[in-house]
Amino acid sequence: MTQETVAPTSDAVLDREEMISRDELEALQLTRLQHTVAYAYDRVPLYKRKFDEHGVHPTDLRELSDLGKFPFTTKEDLRLEYPFGMFAVPQHEVARIHASSGTTGRATVVGYTKKDLADWAKLVARSLRASGVRPGMKVHNAYGYGLFTGGMGAHAGAEALGCTVIPISGGQTERQITLIQDFKPDAILATPTYLLTIADAMMKQGIDPASTSLKFAVLGAEPWTEEMRHELEVMMNIKACDIYGLSEVMGPGVAGEAVETQDGSHIWEDHFRPEIIDAFDPTVVLGDGEPGELVFTSLTKEALPIIRYRTKDLTRLLPGTARPAHRRMGRITGRSDDMIILRGVNLFPSQIEEIALRIPELSPHFQLELTRPEGQRMDQLTVKIERRESVTIEGVASAAKVLQQQIKIHVGSSCTVDVVEPGSLERSNGKLRRIYDMRPKA
Ligand code: DLL
C-alpha cells in the first residue's frame, strides 16, 4: 500500500497518485501495462494461447495505444478456466477467493494475493474518502458479505481509511434500522435499491429517514440514475455518491465519485486502464465521450491479471474533474446483456427509472414484465409501478397515462402501465431484479 501522501486542498489527505499529472499517470500506466501483459503471458496458459493465436507478443506493447492489438478476455474465458485456471500465482499465494454466483452457467472465480487485498483496500478507502467519508467516522456496511465482493471489499476499505465499521451485511431490514438508530453511523454503504428499501421501511415504522445520523451514502453494484440520487438525498437528507466495480477486475472501488462534484466516478487509472469499444463491433475502439462498452486491463494485480476484460457495461469516458488525471465514467446506462429489445427498440430499466421518477405521483418501486400473449407474435412490455402513498386513485390514472406517453416519446416503445398499491412489489435486498421475462423460451 502506498504510504506516500500529499496535503490536499480540503480536509482529506490524498494518495500521491490521485494528484499526479496526466502525463505522469500515463507514463506509470505504460510501465505497469508492459509488466502486466508480460506477466500474464508468462504465467497464465490462457493468455499465452490467446496472444499466440492472435499473433501478438508482450514486446509489441510499446505505447498505450498498442493495447488495442491484444485480444479481449470475456466472462466465458473465466468460466472455461473454472475454478483456478486464470490464477497467475500458486495457490498458497492466494490469500482470498471471491466468486459471482452467475445467473447462468458456472460461477466466475477470482483470487487475490495479500498485496492485491492491500491495493483493493487502498482503492476502496480512496473511493470512500472521495465520497465524503473520513477517518474516525462510523460506517454501516449493508453490502452483502460472502463470496460477493461488495461486503468484504467495502469493509476492508473502510477499515483501511480508519473508520469504525459496522458489518451488518444485506437483509434483516428491521435490524438495520435499529442499528442505525442506536449506533448513529455517519455513512452507509449499500446498493441504491437496498437503501431505498431501508428508507421505505423506516417510514412504515413512523421514523423520518431524514432524521437519522447518516450524512453520506456510497452506492453501487447496480445501475442507478440522477433521479434516484435526488430521491434518496432528499428523503434521507444525505449526500449520495457512486462507487463502481466488478469482481473480475477487482470488486468495488475500481472507480469512485467525488462528493464535491458528484459528476460520475473517477476510474483509478493508476491501477486500471479503461477503454471503450463498440459493443457490436469490438474491433472499434472509441474515443473519449463516445458511448460504448467499457473494457478494463488491470495494471497491478498479481493473482488474477486481467487483460482487456469486456465488462458489458455501457457508458462513456469523460475528462477528470475533482481528480484531474483520472478519467470519469458516465453513469452506466445498463449492461448489454440486460438490454430489452422490444419490437426492434432497445430499452434499459434505467431509462424507465429516469422517466418515472419525474412523475410526482409515482414511486421508484417498479418492475418490467415482458410477455408474449397467446396467439400473438408481438412482445408486450408492462411497467408495474407503485403509486406514492399520498396519491389518490384519480391521480394515479393520469400519472399512468403520462408515464406511458413519456416512454413512447423518449424510448420509442409502446407499453402498458399498471400502477399498483404501495408495498406490493418485491423489495431489494441487494442487487434488485427489475426485469421479469415471461416470454415463452424459443
Ligand atoms: O457489484 C462490485 C461492487 C460492489 C460495486 C459494491 C460497487 C459496490 P459484481 O457482482 O461482479 O461486482 O457485479 C459487477 O455490477 O459489471 C455492473 O454491471 C454493476 N455495477 C457495479 N457497480 C455499479 C455502479 C460488484 N456503480 C457489475 N453503477 C458491473 C452501475 C454497477 N452498475
Side-chain angles (χ1 to χ4, degrees):
M1 201 191 305
T2 310
Q3 293 303 323
E4 208 179 343
T5 51
V6 291
T9 48
S10 70
D11 59 327
V13 178
L14 306 186
D15 294 339
R16 203 190 79 81
E17 292 82 359
E18 284 177 85
M19 301 306 286
I20 57 180
S21 69
R22 183 73 199 171
D23 284 350
E24 205 185 331
L25 179 65
E26 288 194 348
L28 182 68
Q29 284 188 327
L30 181 59
T31 315
R32 289 182 167 181
L33 195 55
Q34 285 169 329
H35 166 78
T36 298
V37 167
Y39 176 88
Y41 184 80
D42 290 343
R43 290 177 175 236
V44 183
L46 173 118
Y47 285 122
K48 176 161 182 6
R49 196 171 65 241
K50 287 185 82 160
F51 290 10
D52 289 348
E53 277 168 15
H54 216 74
V56 279
H57 189 266
T59 50
D60 294 330
L61 205 143
R62 290 186 203 94
E63 46 191 88
L64 287 173
S65 60
D66 289 333
L67 182 58
K69 297 176 183 161
F70 288 79
F72 293 110
T73 308
T74 62
K75 203 178 189 77
E76 195 50 34
D77 289 323
L78 272 82
R79 288 211 175 111
L80 290 172
E81 296 299 318
Y82 177 87
F84 306 139
M86 298 288 287
F87 288 7
V89 295
Q91 184 259 307
H92 68 267
E93 288 180 31
V94 177
R96 198 192 303 158
I97 284 169
H98 281 282
S100 73
S101 55
T103 40
T104 49
R106 283 170 171 173
T108 22
V109 179
V110 294
Y112 306 79
T113 63
K114 282 211 163 101
K115 178 180 174 295
D116 292 334
L117 290 177
D119 283 343
W120 183 14
K122 180 187 76 177
L123 293 181
V124 173
R126 191 190 280 183
S127 306
L128 297 178
R129 186 180 53 216
S131 301
V133 183
R134 292 287 174 272
M137 283 188 179
K138 280 173 277 175
V139 173
H140 180 105
N141 185 17
Y143 285 118
Y145 281 65
L147 287 171
F148 172 53
T149 52
M152 293 187 72
H155 181 113
E159 270 187 6
L161 184 58
C163 300
T164 307
V165 189
I166 302 155
I168 176 114
S169 193
Q172 294 189 285
T173 306
E174 305 301 303
R175 192 142 177 261
Q176 305 255 0
I177 296 172
T178 308
L179 294 195
I180 290 170
Q181 299 244 291
D182 295 349
F183 293 178
K184 304 199 174 0
D186 305 277
I188 185 162
L189 317 181
T191 64
T193 57
Y194 189 55
L195 187 56
L196 195 62
T197 300
I198 294 176
D200 206 41
M202 281 181 179
M203 286 192 291
K204 284 214 176 68
Q205 289 184 24
I207 300 165
D208 177 3
S211 71
T212 75
S213 56
L214 290 169
K215 291 185 274 299
F216 301 99
V218 188
L219 312 175
E222 62 183 0
W224 58 306
T225 58
E226 283 305 314
E227 285 70 16
M228 182 70 105
R229 186 200 313 260
H230 180 74
E231 172 88 17
L232 290 166
E233 288 197 338
V234 171
M235 185 164 46
M236 301 200 71
N237 189 25
I238 50 166
K239 280 280 186 189
C241 285
D242 184 59
I243 184 165
Y244 169 86
L246 63 166
S247 36
E248 294 85 350
V249 173
M250 182 177 77
V254 172
E257 189 172 42
V259 70
E260 63 270 35
T261 45
Q262 288 192 308
D263 55 358
S265 284
H266 281 89
I267 298 168
W268 303 125
E269 286 203 62
D270 48 332
H271 291 267
F272 309 100
R273 171 80 184 173
E275 298 170 89
I276 296 282
I277 58 163
D278 183 333
F280 302 102
D281 180 2
T283 58
V284 180
V285 177
L286 298 169
D288 286 4
E290 292 187 79
E293 179 181 337
L294 189 55
V295 169
F296 278 111
T297 300
S298 67
L299 302 177
T300 50
K301 282 174 72 188
E302 293 181 338
L304 192 99
I306 195 106
I307 311 293
R308 305 196 81 203
Y309 184 72
R310 290 191 60 174
T311 64
K312 302 212 165 162
D313 290 326
L314 302 174
T315 184
R316 59 205 177 105
L317 294 176
L318 300 165
T321 51
R323 303 291 181 274
H326 300 260
R327 280 173 290 177
R328 286 168 301 139
M329 47 195 277
R331 277 211 182 270
I332 306 265
T333 39
R335 294 179 53 81
S336 55
D337 51 6
D338 243 11
M339 185 170 77
I340 299 171
I341 305 179
L342 189 71
R343 289 174 246 131
V345 176
N346 302 343
L347 177 125
F348 290 103
S350 59
Q351 292 173 290
I352 308 290
E353 181 176 297
E354 203 175 305
I355 298 169
L357 279 179
R358 289 197 204 126
I359 304 172
E361 295 84 359
L362 301 178
S363 80
H365 303 286
F366 71 91
Q367 63 190 38
L368 307 179
E369 279 184 13
L370 283 168
T371 50
R372 187 175 303 150
E374 265 208 43
Q376 286 189 28
R377 275 184 296 154
M378 297 284 241
D379 293 340
Q380 188 161 337
L381 170 69
T382 304
V383 180
K384 283 197 167 164
I385 185 158
E386 291 179 14
R387 65 171 169 86
R388 300 227 185 233
E389 294 275 0
S390 51
V391 181
T392 62
I393 298 293
E394 299 80 65
V396 172
S398 61
K401 211 172 194 152
V402 174
L403 179 59
Q404 198 178 27
Q405 283 166 349
Q406 293 292 310
I407 292 173
K408 180 77 195 159
I409 293 167
H410 295 289
V411 184
S413 300
S414 304
C415 66
T416 307
V417 172
D418 189 1
V419 182
V420 298
E421 285 304 288
S424 59
L425 297 179
E426 197 174 315
R427 289 292 184 266
S428 167
N429 258 335
K431 291 183 192 249
L432 180 63
R433 178 173 162 204
R434 291 275 195 206
I435 303 170
Y436 290 77
D437 191 347
M438 275 107 90
R439 292 174 293 187
K441 296 277 167 286

